Amino acid sequence: MWYVIEGYDGADVLPQRLAARPAHVARLTALRDAGRLMLAGPCPAIDAEDPGPAGFSGSVVIAEFESLPDARAWADADPYLAAGVYTRVEVRPFKRVLP
């Protein structure tokens, strides 16, 4: 089943985000290579493609897992969480309708 994982950034965490990004992206790449990633990306903190020093308000990942506990376990192991980037993470089932 598909799950949406939303991570919410804390205040002033852009340096931690940038430092943890390679490990974060490596995990997403592994999901993509396994055919289990629908989409992933950050949410700019301002209305701009490149928010610069404003940074990001969080990230969204939609990926396939065997179960909700598996999706939560994957989310709990995110390098952004370990680095203190995310203040909270929500994981919910997702039903793809379009496209």
Side-chain angles (χ1 to χ4, degrees):
M1 178 157 186
W2 295 100
Y3 296 89
V4 60
I5 300 167
E6 294 179 272
Y8 296 85
D9 284 22
D12 302 317
V13 295
L14 186 56
Q16 295 96 308
R17 179 182 263 274
L18 295 175
R21 188 173 189 276
H24 173 79
V25 171
R27 296 176 78 234
L28 295 169
T29 300
L31 282 178
R32 181 202 63 198
D33 292 350
R36 297 173 41 209
L37 182 66
M38 183 184 299
L39 67 87
C43 301
I46 60 173
D47 189 14
E49 183 78 19
D50 179 0
F56 300 90
S57 62
S59 303
V60 175
V61 174
I62 300 178
E64 188 175 34
F65 295 92
E66 289 292 320
S67 67
L68 183 56
D70 287 344
R72 284 190 176 132
W74 187 90
D76 287 345
D78 194 302
Y80 282 172
L81 196 57
V85 174
Y86 292 155
T87 59
R88 76 181 201 278
V89 176
E90 295 182 8
V91 181
R92 299 186 312 270
F94 179 80
K95 180 178 166 81
R96 183 177 182 169
V97 175
L98 294 172

Coordinates of all heavy atoms in Angstrom, one line a residue:
M1 N 0.8 -1.2 0.0 CA 0.0 0.0 0.0 C 0.9 1.2 0.0 O 2.0 1.2 0.5 CB -0.9 0.0 1.2 CG -1.8 1.2 1.4 SD -3.2 0.8 2.4 CE -4.1 2.3 2.1
W2 N 0.3 2.3 -0.5 CA 1.0 3.6 -0.5 C 0.8 4.4 0.8 O -0.3 4.3 1.4 CB 0.5 4.5 -1.7 CG 0.9 3.9 -3.0 CD1 0.0 3.2 -3.8 CD2 2.1 4.0 -3.7 NE1 0.7 2.8 -5.0 CE2 2.0 3.3 -4.9 CE3 3.4 4.5 -3.4 CZ2 3.0 3.1 -5.8 CZ3 4.4 4.4 -4.3 CH2 4.2 3.7 -5.5
Y3 N 1.8 5.1 1.2 CA 1.8 5.9 2.4 C 2.4 7.3 2.2 O 3.3 7.4 1.4 CB 2.5 5.2 3.6 CG 1.9 3.9 4.0 CD1 2.3 2.8 3.3 CD2 0.9 3.9 4.9 CE1 1.7 1.6 3.7 CE2 0.3 2.7 5.2 CZ 0.7 1.5 4.6 OH 0.1 0.3 4.9
V4 N 1.7 8.3 2.7 CA 2.3 9.7 2.7 C 3.0 9.9 4.0 O 2.5 9.7 5.1 CB 1.2 10.7 2.4 CG1 0.1 10.8 3.4 CG2 1.8 12.1 2.2
I5 N 4.2 10.4 3.9 CA 5.1 10.7 5.0 C 5.4 12.2 4.9 O 5.9 12.7 3.9 CB 6.4 9.9 5.0 CG1 6.1 8.4 5.0 CG2 7.3 10.3 6.1 CD1 7.2 7.5 4.7
E6 N 4.9 12.9 6.0 CA 5.2 14.4 6.0 C 6.1 14.7 7.2 O 5.7 14.4 8.3 CB 3.9 15.1 6.1 CG 3.0 15.0 4.9 CD 1.7 15.7 5.1 OE1 0.7 15.1 5.6 OE2 1.6 16.9 4.7
G7 N 7.2 15.3 6.9 CA 8.1 15.7 7.9 C 8.0 17.2 8.0 O 8.0 17.9 7.0
Y8 N 8.0 17.8 9.2 CA 7.8 19.2 9.5 C 9.1 19.7 10.1 O 9.5 19.3 11.2 CB 6.6 19.4 10.4 CG 5.3 19.0 9.8 CD1 4.9 17.7 9.9 CD2 4.6 19.9 9.1 CE1 3.7 17.3 9.3 CE2 3.4 19.6 8.5 CZ 2.9 18.2 8.6 OH 1.8 17.9 8.0
D9 N 9.7 20.7 9.4 CA 11.0 21.3 9.9 C 10.8 22.2 11.1 O 9.8 22.9 11.2 CB 11.6 22.1 8.8 CG 12.3 21.3 7.7 OD1 11.9 20.1 7.5 OD2 13.1 21.9 7.0
G10 N 11.8 22.2 11.9 CA 11.9 23.1 13.0 C 12.4 24.5 12.5 O 12.6 24.7 11.3
A11 N 12.5 25.4 13.5 CA 13.0 26.7 13.1 C 14.5 26.7 12.9 O 15.3 26.0 13.7 CB 12.6 27.7 14.2
D12 N 15.0 27.4 11.9 CA 16.4 27.6 11.7 C 17.2 26.4 11.6 O 18.3 26.2 12.2 CB 17.0 28.5 12.9 CG 16.3 29.9 13.0 OD1 16.1 30.5 11.9 OD2 16.0 30.3 14.1
V13 N 16.7 25.4 10.9 CA 17.4 24.1 10.7 C 18.0 23.9 9.3 O 18.5 22.8 9.0 CB 16.4 22.9 11.1 CG1 16.0 23.0 12.5 CG2 15.2 22.9 10.1
L14 N 18.1 24.9 8.5 CA 18.7 24.8 7.2 C 20.1 24.2 7.2 O 20.4 23.3 6.4 CB 18.6 26.1 6.4 CG 19.0 26.0 4.9 CD1 18.2 25.0 4.2 CD2 19.0 27.4 4.3
P15 N 21.0 24.6 8.1 CA 22.3 24.0 8.1 C 22.3 22.5 8.4 O 23.0 21.7 7.7 CB 23.1 24.7 9.2 CG 22.4 26.1 9.3 CD 20.9 25.8 9.0
Q16 N 21.4 22.0 9.3 CA 21.3 20.6 9.6 C 20.7 19.9 8.4 O 21.1 18.8 8.1 CB 20.4 20.4 10.9 CG 21.0 20.9 12.2 CD 20.4 22.3 12.5 OE1 20.5 23.2 11.7 NE2 19.9 22.5 13.7
R17 N 19.7 20.5 7.8 CA 19.1 19.9 6.6 C 20.1 19.6 5.5 O 20.2 18.6 4.9 CB 17.9 20.8 6.1 CG 17.2 20.2 4.9 CD 16.2 21.2 4.4 NE 14.9 20.8 4.9 CZ 14.1 19.9 4.3 NH1 14.4 19.4 3.1 NH2 12.9 19.6 4.8
L18 N 20.9 20.7 5.2 CA 21.9 20.5 4.2 C 23.0 19.5 4.5 O 23.4 18.7 3.6 CB 22.6 21.9 3.9 CG 21.7 23.0 3.4 CD1 22.4 24.3 3.3 CD2 21.1 22.6 2.0
A19 N 23.3 19.4 5.8 CA 24.3 18.4 6.2 C 23.8 17.0 6.1 O 24.5 16.0 5.7 CB 24.8 18.7 7.6
A20 N 22.5 16.8 6.4 CA 21.9 15.4 6.4 C 21.3 15.0 5.0 O 21.0 13.9 4.8 CB 20.8 15.4 7.5
R21 N 21.3 16.0 4.1 CA 20.6 15.7 2.8 C 21.2 14.5 2.0 O 20.4 13.7 1.5 CB 20.7 17.0 1.9 CG 19.9 16.9 0.7 CD 19.8 18.2 -0.1 NE 18.9 18.1 -1.2 CZ 19.1 17.6 -2.4 NH1 20.3 17.1 -2.6 NH2 18.2 17.5 -3.3
P22 N 22.5 14.4 1.9 CA 23.0 13.2 1.1 C 22.5 11.9 1.7 O 22.1 11.0 0.9 CB 24.5 13.3 1.3 CG 24.8 14.8 1.5 CD 23.6 15.2 2.3
A23 N 22.4 11.7 3.0 CA 21.9 10.4 3.5 C 20.4 10.3 3.3 O 19.9 9.2 3.1 CB 22.3 10.4 5.0
H24 N 19.7 11.4 3.5 CA 18.3 11.5 3.2 C 18.0 11.1 1.8 O 17.1 10.2 1.6 CB 17.8 12.9 3.6 CG 16.3 13.1 3.2 ND1 15.3 12.6 4.1 CD2 15.7 13.7 2.2 CE1 14.1 13.0 3.5 NE2 14.4 13.7 2.4
V25 N 18.6 11.7 0.9 CA 18.4 11.4 -0.6 C 18.8 10.0 -0.9 O 18.1 9.3 -1.8 CB 19.1 12.4 -1.5 CG1 19.1 12.1 -2.9 CG2 18.5 13.8 -1.3
A26 N 19.8 9.4 -0.3 CA 20.2 8.1 -0.6 C 19.1 7.1 -0.3 O 18.9 6.1 -1.0 CB 21.5 7.7 0.2
R27 N 18.4 7.3 0.8 CA 17.3 6.4 1.2 C 16.2 6.5 0.2 O 15.5 5.6 -0.1 CB 16.8 6.8 2.6 CG 17.9 6.5 3.7 CD 17.4 6.9 5.0 NE 16.5 5.9 5.6 CZ 15.3 6.1 6.0 NH1 14.8 7.3 6.0 NH2 14.5 5.2 6.4
L28 N 15.9 7.8 -0.3 CA 14.9 8.0 -1.3 C 15.3 7.3 -2.6 O 14.4 6.7 -3.3 CB 14.6 9.4 -1.5 CG 14.0 10.2 -0.3 CD1 14.0 11.7 -0.5 CD2 12.6 9.7 0.0
T29 N 16.5 7.4 -3.0 CA 17.0 6.8 -4.2 C 16.8 5.3 -4.1 O 16.4 4.6 -5.1 CB 18.5 7.1 -4.4 OG1 18.6 8.6 -4.5 CG2 19.0 6.5 -5.7
A30 N 17.1 4.7 -3.0 CA 16.9 3.2 -2.8 C 15.4 2.8 -3.0 O 15.1 1.8 -3.6 CB 17.4 2.8 -1.4
L31 N 14.5 3.7 -2.4 CA 13.1 3.4 -2.7 C 12.7 3.5 -4.1 O 12.0 2.7 -4.7 CB 12.2 4.4 -1.9 CG 12.0 4.2 -0.4 CD1 11.2 5.3 0.2 CD2 11.4 2.8 -0.1
R32 N 13.2 4.5 -4.8 CA 13.0 4.7 -6.2 C 13.5 3.5 -7.0 O 12.8 3.0 -7.9 CB 13.7 6.0 -6.7 CG 13.4 6.3 -8.2 CD 14.4 7.2 -8.8 NE 15.7 6.5 -8.8 CZ 16.9 7.2 -8.9 NH1 16.9 8.5 -9.1 NH2 18.0 6.6 -8.9
D33 N 14.7 3.1 -6.7 CA 15.3 2.0 -7.5 C 14.6 0.7 -7.3 O 14.6 -0.2 -8.1 CB 16.8 1.9 -7.1 CG 17.6 3.0 -7.6 OD1 17.2 3.9 -8.3 OD2 18.8 3.1 -7.1
A34 N 13.9 0.6 -6.1 CA 13.1 -0.6 -5.9 C 11.7 -0.5 -6.4 O 10.8 -1.4 -6.3 CB 13.0 -0.8 -4.4
G35 N 11.4 0.7 -7.1 CA 10.1 0.9 -7.7 C 9.0 1.2 -6.7 O 7.8 1.0 -6.9
R36 N 9.4 1.7 -5.5 CA 8.4 2.0 -4.4 C 8.2 3.4 -4.1 O 7.5 3.8 -3.2 CB 8.9 1.2 -3.2 CG 9.0 -0.3 -3.3 CD 9.6 -1.0 -2.2 NE 9.2 -0.4 -0.9 CZ 10.0 -0.5 0.2 NH1 11.2 -1.0 0.2 NH2 9.6 0.0 1.3
L37 N 8.8 4.3 -4.9 CA 8.7 5.8 -4.6 C 7.8 6.4 -5.7 O 8.1 6.3 -6.9 CB 10.1 6.4 -4.6 CG 10.1 7.9 -4.3 CD1 9.6 8.2 -2.9 CD2 11.5 8.5 -4.6
M38 N 6.7 7.0 -5.2 CA 5.8 7.8 -6.1 C 6.3 9.2 -6.3 O 6.4 9.7 -7.4 CB 4.4 7.8 -5.6 CG 3.4 8.5 -6.5 SD 1.7 8.6 -5.9 CE 1.3 6.9 -5.6
L39 N 6.7 9.9 -5.2 CA 7.2 11.2 -5.3 C 7.9 11.6 -4.0 O 7.6 11.0 -2.9 CB 6.2 12.2 -5.7 CG 5.0 12.5 -4.7 CD1 5.4 13.6 -3.7 CD2 3.8 13.0 -5.4
A40 N 8.7 12.5 -4.0 CA 9.4 13.0 -2.8 C 9.9 14.4 -3.1 O 10.3 14.7 -4.2 CB 10.5 12.1 -2.4
G41 N 9.8 15.3 -2.1 CA 10.4 16.6 -2.3 C 10.1 17.5 -1.1 O 9.3 17.2 -0.2
P42 N 10.9 18.6 -1.0 CA 10.8 19.5 0.1 C 9.7 20.6 -0.2 O 9.3 20.8 -1.3 CB 12.1 20.2 0.1 CG 12.6 20.2 -1.3 CD 12.0 18.9 -1.9
C43 N 9.2 21.2 0.9 CA 8.2 22.3 0.8 C 9.0 23.6 1.2 O 9.3 23.8 2.3 CB 7.1 22.0 1.8 SG 6.2 20.5 1.5
P44 N 9.2 24.5 0.2 CA 9.9 25.7 0.5 C 9.1 26.5 1.5 O 7.8 26.5 1.5 CB 9.9 26.5 -0.9 CG 9.8 25.3 -1.9 CD 8.9 24.3 -1.3
A45 N 9.8 27.2 2.4 CA 9.2 28.0 3.4 C 8.6 29.3 2.9 O 7.7 29.9 3.6 CB 10.2 28.3 4.5
I46 N 8.9 29.7 1.7 CA 8.3 30.8 1.0 C 7.9 30.4 -0.3 O 8.2 29.3 -0.8 CB 9.3 32.0 1.0 CG1 10.6 31.6 0.2 CG2 9.7 32.5 2.4 CD1 11.5 32.8 -0.1
D47 N 7.1 31.3 -1.0 CA 6.6 31.0 -2.3 C 7.7 31.2 -3.4 O 7.6 32.2 -4.1 CB 5.4 31.8 -2.6 CG 4.6 31.4 -3.8 OD1 4.9 30.3 -4.4 OD2 3.8 32.2 -4.3
A48 N 8.6 30.3 -3.4 CA 9.7 30.4 -4.4 C 10.3 29.0 -4.6 O 10.4 28.2 -3.7 CB 10.8 31.3 -3.8
E49 N 10.7 28.7 -5.9 CA 11.3 27.4 -6.2 C 12.6 27.2 -5.4 O 12.8 26.1 -4.9 CB 11.6 27.4 -7.7 CG 12.2 26.1 -8.2 CD 11.2 25.0 -8.4 OE1 10.0 25.3 -8.5 OE2 11.6 23.9 -8.5
D50 N 13.4 28.3 -5.3 CA 14.6 28.2 -4.4 C 14.4 29.2 -3.3 O 14.5 30.4 -3.5 CB 15.8 28.6 -5.3 CG 17.1 28.6 -4.4 OD1 17.1 28.3 -3.2 OD2 18.1 28.9 -5.0
P51 N 14.1 28.7 -2.1 CA 13.8 29.6 -1.0 C 15.1 30.3 -0.4 O 14.9 31.1 0.5 CB 13.1 28.7 0.0 CG 13.7 27.4 -0.2 CD 14.0 27.3 -1.7
G52 N 16.2 29.9 -0.8 CA 17.5 30.5 -0.3 C 17.5 30.3 1.2 O 17.2 29.2 1.7
P53 N 17.9 31.3 2.0 CA 18.1 31.2 3.4 C 16.8 31.0 4.2 O 16.9 30.6 5.3 CB 18.8 32.5 3.8 CG 18.6 33.5 2.7 CD 18.4 32.6 1.5
A54 N 15.7 31.2 3.5 CA 14.4 31.0 4.2 C 14.2 29.5 4.5 O 13.5 29.1 5.4 CB 13.2 31.5 3.4
G55 N 14.8 28.7 3.7 CA 14.8 27.2 3.9 C 13.5 26.6 3.5 O 12.8 27.0 2.6
F56 N 13.2 25.5 4.3 CA 12.0 24.7 4.0 C 11.1 24.5 5.2 O 11.6 24.6 6.3 CB 12.5 23.4 3.4 CG 13.3 23.5 2.2 CD1 14.7 23.7 2.2 CD2 12.7 23.5 0.9 CE1 15.4 23.8 1.1 CE2 13.4 23.7 -0.2 CZ 14.8 23.8 -0.1
S57 N 9.9 24.3 5.0 CA 8.9 24.0 6.1 C 8.8 22.5 6.4 O 8.2 22.2 7.4 CB 7.6 24.7 5.8 OG 7.0 24.1 4.7
G58 N 9.3 21.7 5.5 CA 9.2 20.3 5.6 C 9.4 19.6 4.3 O 9.8 20.1 3.4
S59 N 8.9 18.3 4.3 CA 9.1 17.4 3.1 C 7.9 16.5 3.0 O 7.3 16.2 4.1 CB 10.3 16.6 3.2 OG 11.5 17.4 3.4
V60 N 7.6 16.0 1.8 CA 6.6 15.0 1.6 C 7.2 13.9 0.8 O 8.0 14.1 -0.2 CB 5.4 15.7 0.8 CG1 4.4 14.6 0.4 CG2 4.8 16.8 1.5
V61 N 6.9 12.7 1.2 CA 7.3 11.5 0.6 C 6.0 10.6 0.4 O 5.3 10.4 1.4 CB 8.4 10.7 1.4 CG1 8.7 9.3 0.7 CG2 9.6 11.5 1.6
I62 N 5.8 10.1 -0.8 CA 4.8 9.1 -1.0 C 5.4 7.9 -1.5 O 6.1 7.9 -2.6 CB 3.6 9.6 -1.9 CG1 3.0 10.8 -1.4 CG2 2.6 8.5 -2.1 CD1 1.9 11.4 -2.2
A63 N 5.4 6.8 -0.7 CA 6.1 5.6 -1.1 C 5.3 4.3 -0.7 O 4.3 4.4 0.1 CB 7.4 5.5 -0.4
E64 N 5.6 3.2 -1.2 CA 4.9 1.9 -1.0 C 5.7 1.2 0.1 O 6.9 1.0 0.1 CB 4.9 1.1 -2.3 CG 4.1 -0.1 -2.2 CD 4.0 -0.8 -3.6 OE1 4.9 -0.8 -4.3 OE2 2.9 -1.4 -3.8
F65 N 4.9 0.7 1.1 CA 5.4 -0.2 2.1 C 4.4 -1.3 2.4 O 3.3 -1.3 2.0 CB 5.6 0.6 3.4 CG 6.6 1.7 3.3 CD1 6.3 3.0 2.9 CD2 8.0 1.4 3.6 CE1 7.2 4.0 2.8 CE2 8.9 2.4 3.5 CZ 8.6 3.7 3.1
E66 N 4.9 -2.4 3.0 CA 4.1 -3.5 3.3 C 2.9 -3.2 4.3 O 1.9 -3.8 4.2 CB 4.9 -4.7 3.9 CG 5.8 -5.3 2.9 CD 5.1 -6.1 1.8 OE1 4.1 -6.7 2.1 OE2 5.5 -6.0 0.7
S67 N 3.2 -2.2 5.2 CA 2.2 -1.9 6.2 C 2.5 -0.6 6.8 O 3.6 0.0 6.6 CB 2.3 -3.0 7.4 OG 3.5 -2.9 8.1
L68 N 1.5 -0.1 7.6 CA 1.7 1.2 8.3 C 2.9 1.2 9.2 O 3.7 2.1 9.3 CB 0.4 1.6 8.9 CG 0.4 3.0 9.7 CD1 0.8 4.1 8.7 CD2 -1.0 3.2 10.3
P69 N 3.0 0.1 10.0 CA 4.2 0.0 10.9 C 5.5 0.1 10.2 O 6.5 0.7 10.6 CB 4.0 -1.3 11.7 CG 2.5 -1.5 11.7 CD 2.1 -1.0 10.4
D70 N 5.6 -0.6 9.0 CA 6.8 -0.5 8.2 C 7.1 0.9 7.7 O 8.2 1.3 7.7 CB 6.7 -1.5 7.0 CG 6.8 -2.9 7.3 OD1 7.2 -3.2 8.5 OD2 6.4 -3.8 6.5
A71 N 6.0 1.6 7.2 CA 6.2 3.0 6.8 C 6.7 3.9 7.9 O 7.6 4.7 7.8 CB 4.9 3.5 6.2
R72 N 6.1 3.7 9.1 CA 6.5 4.5 10.3 C 7.9 4.2 10.7 O 8.7 5.1 11.0 CB 5.6 4.2 11.5 CG 4.2 4.9 11.3 CD 3.4 4.8 12.6 NE 2.2 5.6 12.4 CZ 1.0 5.1 12.7 NH1 0.8 3.9 13.2 NH2 -0.1 5.9 12.5
A73 N 8.3 2.9 10.6 CA 9.7 2.5 11.0 C 10.7 3.2 10.0 O 11.7 3.7 10.4 CB 9.9 1.0 11.0
W74 N 10.3 3.2 8.7 CA 11.2 3.8 7.7 C 11.3 5.3 8.0 O 12.4 5.9 8.0 CB 10.7 3.6 6.3 CG 11.6 4.1 5.2 CD1 12.6 3.4 4.6 CD2 11.6 5.4 4.6 NE1 13.2 4.2 3.7 CE2 12.6 5.4 3.7 CE3 10.8 6.5 4.8 CZ2 12.9 6.5 2.9 CZ3 11.1 7.6 4.1 CH2 12.1 7.6 3.1
A75 N 10.2 6.0 8.3 CA 10.2 7.4 8.6 C 11.0 7.7 9.8 O 11.7 8.7 9.9 CB 8.7 7.9 8.7
D76 N 10.8 6.8 10.8 CA 11.6 7.1 12.1 C 13.1 7.0 12.0 O 13.8 7.5 12.8 CB 11.1 6.0 13.2 CG 9.7 6.3 13.7 OD1 9.2 7.4 13.5 OD2 9.1 5.4 14.3
A77 N 13.5 6.3 10.9 CA 15.0 6.2 10.6 C 15.5 7.3 9.7 O 16.7 7.2 9.3 CB 15.3 4.8 10.1
D78 N 14.7 8.3 9.4 CA 15.1 9.3 8.4 C 16.3 10.1 9.0 O 16.2 10.6 10.2 CB 14.0 10.2 8.1 CG 14.2 11.1 6.9 OD1 15.2 11.9 6.9 OD2 13.5 11.0 5.9
P79 N 17.3 10.4 8.3 CA 18.5 11.2 8.8 C 18.0 12.6 9.2 O 18.7 13.2 10.0 CB 19.4 11.2 7.6 CG 19.1 9.9 6.9 CD 17.7 9.7 7.0
Y80 N 17.0 13.1 8.5 CA 16.5 14.5 8.9 C 16.0 14.4 10.4 O 16.1 15.4 11.1 CB 15.5 15.0 8.0 CG 16.0 15.5 6.7 CD1 15.1 15.9 5.7 CD2 17.3 15.7 6.4 CE1 15.5 16.4 4.5 CE2 17.8 16.2 5.2 CZ 16.9 16.6 4.2 OH 17.3 17.1 3.0
L81 N 15.3 13.4 10.7 CA 14.8 13.2 12.1 C 16.0 13.1 13.1 O 16.0 13.8 14.1 CB 13.9 12.0 12.2 CG 13.0 12.0 13.4 CD1 12.1 13.2 13.6 CD2 12.1 10.7 13.3
A82 N 17.0 12.3 12.7 CA 18.1 12.1 13.6 C 18.9 13.4 13.8 O 19.5 13.7 14.8 CB 19.0 11.0 13.1
A83 N 19.0 14.2 12.7 CA 19.7 15.5 12.7 C 19.0 16.6 13.4 O 19.5 17.7 13.5 CB 20.1 15.9 11.3
G84 N 17.8 16.4 13.8 CA 17.0 17.5 14.4 C 16.3 18.4 13.4 O 15.9 19.5 13.8
V85 N 16.3 18.0 12.1 CA 15.6 18.9 11.1 C 14.1 18.8 11.4 O 13.4 19.9 11.5 CB 15.9 18.4 9.7 CG1 15.1 19.2 8.7 CG2 17.4 18.5 9.5
Y86 N 13.5 17.6 11.4 CA 12.1 17.5 11.6 C 11.8 17.6 13.1 O 12.4 16.9 14.0 CB 11.6 16.1 11.1 CG 11.7 15.9 9.6 CD1 11.8 14.6 9.2 CD2 11.6 16.9 8.7 CE1 11.8 14.3 7.8 CE2 11.7 16.7 7.4 CZ 11.8 15.4 6.9 OH 11.8 15.1 5.6
T87 N 10.7 18.3 13.4 CA 10.2 18.4 14.8 C 9.1 17.3 15.0 O 8.9 16.9 16.1 CB 9.6 19.8 15.1 OG1 8.5 20.1 14.2 CG2 10.7 20.8 15.1
R88 N 8.5 16.9 13.9 CA 7.5 15.9 13.9 C 7.3 15.3 12.5 O 7.6 15.9 11.5 CB 6.2 16.3 14.5 CG 5.3 17.1 13.6 CD 4.0 17.5 14.3 NE 2.9 17.9 13.3 CZ 2.8 19.0 12.7 NH1 3.7 20.0 12.9 NH2 1.8 19.2 11.9
V89 N 6.9 14.0 12.5 CA 6.6 13.3 11.3 C 5.3 12.6 11.3 O 5.0 12.0 12.4 CB 7.7 12.2 11.0 CG1 7.4 11.4 9.8 CG2 9.1 12.9 10.9
E90 N 4.5 12.8 10.3 CA 3.2 12.1 10.2 C 3.2 11.1 9.1 O 3.7 11.4 8.0 CB 2.1 13.1 10.0 CG 1.9 14.1 11.2 CD 0.8 15.1 11.0 OE1 0.0 14.9 10.0 OE2 0.7 16.0 11.8
V91 N 2.6 9.9 9.3 CA 2.6 8.9 8.3 C 1.1 8.4 8.2 O 0.5 8.1 9.2 CB 3.5 7.7 8.7 CG1 3.4 6.6 7.7 CG2 4.9 8.1 9.0
R92 N 0.6 8.5 7.0 CA -0.8 8.1 6.8 C -0.9 7.2 5.5 O -0.2 7.4 4.6 CB -1.7 9.3 6.6 CG -1.7 10.2 7.8 CD -2.7 11.4 7.7 NE -2.6 12.1 6.4 CZ -1.9 13.1 6.1 NH1 -1.1 13.6 7.1 NH2 -1.9 13.7 5.0
P93 N -1.9 6.3 5.5 CA -2.2 5.6 4.2 C -2.6 6.6 3.2 O -3.2 7.6 3.4 CB -3.3 4.7 4.6 CG -3.3 4.5 6.1 CD -2.8 5.8 6.6
F94 N -2.3 6.2 1.9 CA -2.6 7.1 0.8 C -3.2 6.2 -0.3 O -2.6 5.2 -0.7 CB -1.3 7.7 0.3 CG -1.4 8.6 -0.9 CD1 -1.9 9.9 -0.7 CD2 -1.1 8.2 -2.2 CE1 -2.1 10.8 -1.8 CE2 -1.3 9.0 -3.3 CZ -1.8 10.3 -3.1
K95 N -4.3 6.7 -0.9 CA -4.9 6.0 -2.0 C -4.7 6.8 -3.3 O -5.3 7.9 -3.4 CB -6.4 5.8 -1.7 CG -7.1 5.1 -2.9 CD -8.6 4.8 -2.5 CE -9.4 4.4 -3.7 NZ -9.3 3.1 -4.1
R96 N -4.0 6.3 -4.2 CA -3.7 7.0 -5.4 C -4.9 6.8 -6.3 O -5.5 5.7 -6.6 CB -2.5 6.4 -6.1 CG -2.2 7.0 -7.4 CD -0.9 6.4 -8.0 NE -0.6 7.2 -9.2 CZ 0.6 7.0 -9.9 NH1 1.5 6.2 -9.4 NH2 0.8 7.7 -10.9
V97 N -5.4 8.0 -6.9 CA -6.5 8.0 -7.8 C -6.1 8.5 -9.1 O -6.4 7.9 -10.1 CB -7.7 8.9 -7.2 CG1 -8.8 9.0 -8.2 CG2 -8.2 8.3 -5.9
L98 N -5.4 9.6 -9.2 CA -5.0 10.2 -10.5 C -3.5 10.5 -10.4 O -3.1 10.9 -9.3 CB -5.8 11.4 -10.8 CG -7.2 11.2 -11.2 CD1 -7.9 12.5 -11.3 CD2 -7.4 10.4 -12.4
P99 N -2.7 10.6 -11.4 CA -3.0 10.1 -12.7 C -2.9 8.5 -12.7 O -2.3 7.9 -11.9 CB -1.9 10.7 -13.6 CG -0.8 10.9 -12.7 CD -1.4 11.1 -11.3

